[in-house]
Amino acid sequence: MITLVFSWDLNPHQRLLYGEMEKLGAQMTYLGRLKPSHTLNVILVPFELVVWRLRSARVVHLNWVFGLAPAAADQSPGLRAIAWLWFLPWLWTIRPMCMRLTENRRP
């Protein structure tokens, strides 16, 4: 089973989780790491979803949403709004492609 992961983080807990899943046979693939430009990767993520779905990916694990914002979104309310408007269609593309979205839950 191919599981698409967004976003990549140095957090050791993320690696522990995915390491255990790989022991059970899952193939973990990170989205948004095609190009050196973070903003370009954010733009390409929905297209990556389509390509990976054609390659039989069925699960998307949304680890952190901060990775879906352009690099300068912290300083610009306008960029944050644009990032939010980009995030919604990104989410909406998952279900029509018969993919399942999972996320981290806090107790």
Side-chain angles (χ1 to χ4, degrees):
M1 171 179 48
I2 300 171
T3 300
L4 305 175
V5 178
F6 194 87
S7 66
W8 182 83
D9 191 11
L10 289 174
N11 183 334
H13 299 289
Q14 186 179 27
R15 190 67 245 150
L16 289 171
L17 170 65
Y18 299 145
E20 290 300 316
M21 291 176 69
E22 287 170 342
K23 286 180 189 175
L24 297 172
Q27 176 189 340
M28 311 309 287
T29 302
Y30 290 95
L31 293 172
R33 300 192 36 98
L34 293 175
K35 303 288 181 188
S37 166
H38 175 72
T39 301
L40 183 57
N41 284 329
V42 168
I43 292 168
L44 292 175
V45 165
F47 304 104
E48 271 189 275
L49 279 176
V50 173
V51 170
W52 278 106
R53 180 61 189 109
L54 292 172
R55 295 176 73 185
S56 301
R58 299 290 307 255
V59 177
V60 177
H61 181 239
L62 182 59
N63 198 29
W64 305 107
V65 295
F66 68 80
L68 284 165
D74 294 350
Q75 294 95 20
S76 170
L79 276 178
R80 274 196 300 270
I82 290 169
W84 178 248
L85 292 174
W86 186 246
F87 178 61
L88 292 176
W90 184 84
L91 287 177
W92 296 334
T93 60
I94 294 171
R95 185 171 291 210
M97 290 191 300
C98 299
M99 297 178 86
R100 175 164 250 158
L101 177 68
T102 64
E103 60 181 312
N104 289 345
R105 300 248 182 213
R106 293 182 185 223

Short mmCIF file of all heavy atoms in Angstrom, two decimals, residues 43-73:
data_model
loop_
_atom_site.label_atom_id
_atom_site.label_comp_id
_atom_site.label_asym_id
_atom_site.label_seq_id
_atom_site.Cartn_x
_atom_site.Cartn_y
_atom_site.Cartn_z
N ILE A 43 2.43 24.52 -5.03
CA ILE A 43 1.58 24.61 -6.23
C ILE A 43 1.43 23.24 -6.90
O ILE A 43 0.36 22.90 -7.40
CB ILE A 43 2.17 25.65 -7.22
CG1 ILE A 43 2.05 27.05 -6.61
CG2 ILE A 43 1.49 25.58 -8.58
CD1 ILE A 43 2.85 28.10 -7.34
N LEU A 44 2.48 22.44 -6.86
CA LEU A 44 2.47 21.15 -7.56
C LEU A 44 1.80 20.01 -6.79
O LEU A 44 1.48 18.97 -7.39
CB LEU A 44 3.91 20.75 -7.89
CG LEU A 44 4.62 21.61 -8.93
CD1 LEU A 44 6.07 21.18 -9.07
CD2 LEU A 44 3.91 21.55 -10.26
N VAL A 45 1.55 20.16 -5.50
CA VAL A 45 1.02 19.06 -4.69
C VAL A 45 -0.28 18.47 -5.26
O VAL A 45 -0.39 17.24 -5.35
CB VAL A 45 0.87 19.46 -3.21
CG1 VAL A 45 0.00 18.49 -2.45
CG2 VAL A 45 2.24 19.52 -2.55
N PRO A 46 -1.28 19.25 -5.66
CA PRO A 46 -2.49 18.61 -6.21
C PRO A 46 -2.21 17.77 -7.46
O PRO A 46 -2.83 16.72 -7.66
CB PRO A 46 -3.40 19.79 -6.55
CG PRO A 46 -2.93 20.89 -5.68
CD PRO A 46 -1.45 20.69 -5.54
N PHE A 47 -1.26 18.21 -8.26
CA PHE A 47 -0.91 17.45 -9.46
C PHE A 47 -0.16 16.17 -9.09
O PHE A 47 -0.33 15.13 -9.73
CB PHE A 47 -0.10 18.33 -10.42
CG PHE A 47 -0.83 19.59 -10.77
CD1 PHE A 47 -0.48 20.79 -10.18
CD2 PHE A 47 -1.91 19.58 -11.64
CE1 PHE A 47 -1.16 21.96 -10.48
CE2 PHE A 47 -2.60 20.74 -11.94
CZ PHE A 47 -2.23 21.94 -11.36
N GLU A 48 0.65 16.26 -8.05
CA GLU A 48 1.32 15.06 -7.54
C GLU A 48 0.31 14.02 -7.08
O GLU A 48 0.49 12.82 -7.30
CB GLU A 48 2.22 15.41 -6.35
CG GLU A 48 3.60 15.81 -6.66
CD GLU A 48 4.42 15.90 -5.39
OE1 GLU A 48 4.39 16.95 -4.74
OE2 GLU A 48 5.10 14.90 -5.04
N LEU A 49 -0.76 14.49 -6.43
CA LEU A 49 -1.81 13.56 -5.98
C LEU A 49 -2.36 12.77 -7.15
O LEU A 49 -2.56 11.55 -7.05
CB LEU A 49 -2.95 14.33 -5.32
CG LEU A 49 -2.77 14.76 -3.88
CD1 LEU A 49 -3.96 15.58 -3.43
CD2 LEU A 49 -2.60 13.55 -2.98
N VAL A 50 -2.64 13.44 -8.24
CA VAL A 50 -3.20 12.77 -9.42
C VAL A 50 -2.22 11.72 -9.93
O VAL A 50 -2.61 10.57 -10.20
CB VAL A 50 -3.55 13.79 -10.52
CG1 VAL A 50 -3.95 13.09 -11.80
CG2 VAL A 50 -4.65 14.72 -10.04
N VAL A 51 -0.95 12.09 -10.05
CA VAL A 51 0.05 11.15 -10.56
C VAL A 51 0.16 9.94 -9.64
O VAL A 51 0.17 8.79 -10.10
CB VAL A 51 1.42 11.85 -10.73
CG1 VAL A 51 2.52 10.84 -11.02
CG2 VAL A 51 1.34 12.88 -11.83
N TRP A 52 0.22 10.18 -8.33
CA TRP A 52 0.35 9.06 -7.40
C TRP A 52 -0.91 8.20 -7.36
O TRP A 52 -0.84 6.99 -7.15
CB TRP A 52 0.72 9.55 -6.00
CG TRP A 52 2.19 9.78 -5.89
CD1 TRP A 52 2.85 10.98 -5.87
CD2 TRP A 52 3.20 8.78 -5.85
NE1 TRP A 52 4.19 10.77 -5.80
CE2 TRP A 52 4.44 9.43 -5.79
CE3 TRP A 52 3.18 7.39 -5.86
CZ2 TRP A 52 5.65 8.74 -5.73
CZ3 TRP A 52 4.38 6.70 -5.80
CH2 TRP A 52 5.59 7.38 -5.74
N ARG A 53 -2.06 8.80 -7.57
CA ARG A 53 -3.29 7.99 -7.61
C ARG A 53 -3.26 7.06 -8.82
O ARG A 53 -3.66 5.91 -8.75
CB ARG A 53 -4.54 8.90 -7.67
CG ARG A 53 -5.83 8.12 -7.71
CD ARG A 53 -5.97 7.27 -6.44
NE ARG A 53 -7.08 6.37 -6.54
CZ ARG A 53 -6.97 5.04 -6.68
NH1 ARG A 53 -5.79 4.46 -6.73
NH2 ARG A 53 -8.04 4.29 -6.74
N LEU A 54 -2.75 7.56 -9.94
CA LEU A 54 -2.60 6.71 -11.13
C LEU A 54 -1.60 5.58 -10.89
O LEU A 54 -1.67 4.55 -11.55
CB LEU A 54 -2.18 7.55 -12.33
CG LEU A 54 -3.24 8.54 -12.84
CD1 LEU A 54 -2.65 9.45 -13.91
CD2 LEU A 54 -4.48 7.81 -13.35
N ARG A 55 -0.73 5.78 -9.91
CA ARG A 55 0.26 4.76 -9.54
C ARG A 55 -0.23 3.92 -8.36
O ARG A 55 0.55 3.27 -7.68
CB ARG A 55 1.60 5.41 -9.23
CG ARG A 55 2.20 6.09 -10.46
CD ARG A 55 3.46 6.82 -10.14
NE ARG A 55 4.55 5.87 -9.90
CZ ARG A 55 5.75 6.23 -9.50
NH1 ARG A 55 6.02 7.51 -9.28
NH2 ARG A 55 6.68 5.32 -9.31
N SER A 56 -1.52 3.96 -8.08
CA SER A 56 -2.20 3.11 -7.09
C SER A 56 -2.12 3.59 -5.65
O SER A 56 -2.44 2.83 -4.74
CB SER A 56 -1.70 1.66 -7.16
OG SER A 56 -1.93 1.14 -8.43
N ALA A 57 -1.71 4.81 -5.39
CA ALA A 57 -1.74 5.33 -4.01
C ALA A 57 -3.20 5.47 -3.58
O ALA A 57 -4.04 5.90 -4.37
CB ALA A 57 -1.02 6.66 -3.92
N ARG A 58 -3.49 5.11 -2.33
CA ARG A 58 -4.87 5.18 -1.85
C ARG A 58 -5.03 6.00 -0.57
O ARG A 58 -6.12 6.35 -0.20
CB ARG A 58 -5.39 3.77 -1.55
CG ARG A 58 -5.42 2.84 -2.73
CD ARG A 58 -6.48 3.19 -3.75
NE ARG A 58 -7.80 3.34 -3.21
CZ ARG A 58 -8.79 2.48 -3.33
NH1 ARG A 58 -8.61 1.37 -3.98
NH2 ARG A 58 -9.96 2.73 -2.81
N VAL A 59 -3.93 6.29 0.13
CA VAL A 59 -4.01 6.96 1.43
C VAL A 59 -3.12 8.21 1.42
O VAL A 59 -2.00 8.17 0.93
CB VAL A 59 -3.55 6.01 2.57
CG1 VAL A 59 -3.58 6.73 3.91
CG2 VAL A 59 -4.42 4.77 2.61
N VAL A 60 -3.66 9.31 1.96
CA VAL A 60 -2.90 10.54 2.15
C VAL A 60 -2.87 10.82 3.64
O VAL A 60 -3.92 10.93 4.28
CB VAL A 60 -3.54 11.74 1.41
CG1 VAL A 60 -2.75 13.02 1.68
CG2 VAL A 60 -3.63 11.46 -0.08
N HIS A 61 -1.66 10.89 4.21
CA HIS A 61 -1.53 11.24 5.63
C HIS A 61 -1.11 12.70 5.72
O HIS A 61 -0.02 13.07 5.31
CB HIS A 61 -0.51 10.35 6.32
CG HIS A 61 -0.37 10.68 7.76
ND1 HIS A 61 0.82 11.06 8.32
CD2 HIS A 61 -1.28 10.72 8.76
CE1 HIS A 61 0.63 11.31 9.61
NE2 HIS A 61 -0.63 11.12 9.90
N LEU A 62 -2.01 13.51 6.24
CA LEU A 62 -1.75 14.94 6.41
C LEU A 62 -1.15 15.13 7.80
O LEU A 62 -1.85 15.09 8.80
CB LEU A 62 -3.05 15.74 6.26
CG LEU A 62 -2.94 17.24 6.36
CD1 LEU A 62 -1.99 17.79 5.30
CD2 LEU A 62 -4.31 17.87 6.21
N ASN A 63 0.15 15.29 7.83
CA ASN A 63 0.87 15.38 9.10
C ASN A 63 0.83 16.79 9.66
O ASN A 63 0.51 16.99 10.83
CB ASN A 63 2.30 14.90 8.90
CG ASN A 63 2.97 14.55 10.20
OD1 ASN A 63 2.32 14.14 11.14
ND2 ASN A 63 4.26 14.70 10.24
N TRP A 64 1.16 17.77 8.86
CA TRP A 64 1.15 19.17 9.27
C TRP A 64 0.60 20.00 8.12
O TRP A 64 0.99 19.79 6.98
CB TRP A 64 2.56 19.68 9.59
CG TRP A 64 3.29 18.88 10.61
CD1 TRP A 64 4.33 18.04 10.39
CD2 TRP A 64 3.06 18.85 12.02
NE1 TRP A 64 4.76 17.48 11.56
CE2 TRP A 64 3.98 17.97 12.58
CE3 TRP A 64 2.14 19.47 12.86
CZ2 TRP A 64 4.03 17.69 13.94
CZ3 TRP A 64 2.20 19.20 14.21
CH2 TRP A 64 3.13 18.33 14.73
N VAL A 65 -0.24 20.98 8.40
CA VAL A 65 -0.77 21.82 7.32
C VAL A 65 0.11 23.03 7.04
O VAL A 65 -0.04 23.66 6.00
CB VAL A 65 -2.22 22.28 7.62
CG1 VAL A 65 -3.14 21.09 7.63
CG2 VAL A 65 -2.31 23.06 8.90
N PHE A 66 1.05 23.36 7.93
CA PHE A 66 1.87 24.55 7.70
C PHE A 66 2.67 24.45 6.41
O PHE A 66 3.02 25.44 5.81
CB PHE A 66 2.79 24.86 8.88
CG PHE A 66 3.89 23.86 9.10
CD1 PHE A 66 5.05 23.89 8.34
CD2 PHE A 66 3.76 22.88 10.07
CE1 PHE A 66 6.07 22.97 8.54
CE2 PHE A 66 4.76 21.95 10.27
CZ PHE A 66 5.92 22.00 9.50
N GLY A 67 2.95 23.26 5.95
CA GLY A 67 3.73 23.08 4.74
C GLY A 67 2.99 23.47 3.48
O GLY A 67 3.58 23.57 2.41
N LEU A 68 1.68 23.68 3.58
CA LEU A 68 0.90 24.05 2.40
C LEU A 68 0.85 25.56 2.18
O LEU A 68 0.16 26.02 1.29
CB LEU A 68 -0.52 23.50 2.52
CG LEU A 68 -0.62 22.01 2.24
CD1 LEU A 68 -1.94 21.46 2.73
CD2 LEU A 68 -0.42 21.72 0.78
N ALA A 69 1.57 26.31 2.96
CA ALA A 69 1.59 27.77 2.80
C ALA A 69 2.91 28.18 2.14
O ALA A 69 3.95 27.57 2.39
CB ALA A 69 1.47 28.46 4.15
N PRO A 70 2.87 29.22 1.31
CA PRO A 70 4.12 29.72 0.73
C PRO A 70 5.06 30.21 1.83
O PRO A 70 4.63 30.54 2.93
CB PRO A 70 3.68 30.88 -0.16
CG PRO A 70 2.23 30.73 -0.35
CD PRO A 70 1.71 29.94 0.81
N ALA A 71 6.32 30.27 1.52
CA ALA A 71 7.35 30.60 2.51
C ALA A 71 7.10 31.92 3.23
O ALA A 71 7.35 32.04 4.41
CB ALA A 71 8.72 30.60 1.86
N ALA A 72 6.60 32.94 2.56
CA ALA A 72 6.42 34.26 3.16
C ALA A 72 5.03 34.45 3.78
O ALA A 72 4.69 35.55 4.19
CB ALA A 72 6.68 35.34 2.12
N ALA A 73 4.24 33.40 3.88
CA ALA A 73 2.86 33.54 4.39
C ALA A 73 2.81 33.98 5.85
O ALA A 73 1.81 34.54 6.29
CB ALA A 73 2.09 32.24 4.21
#
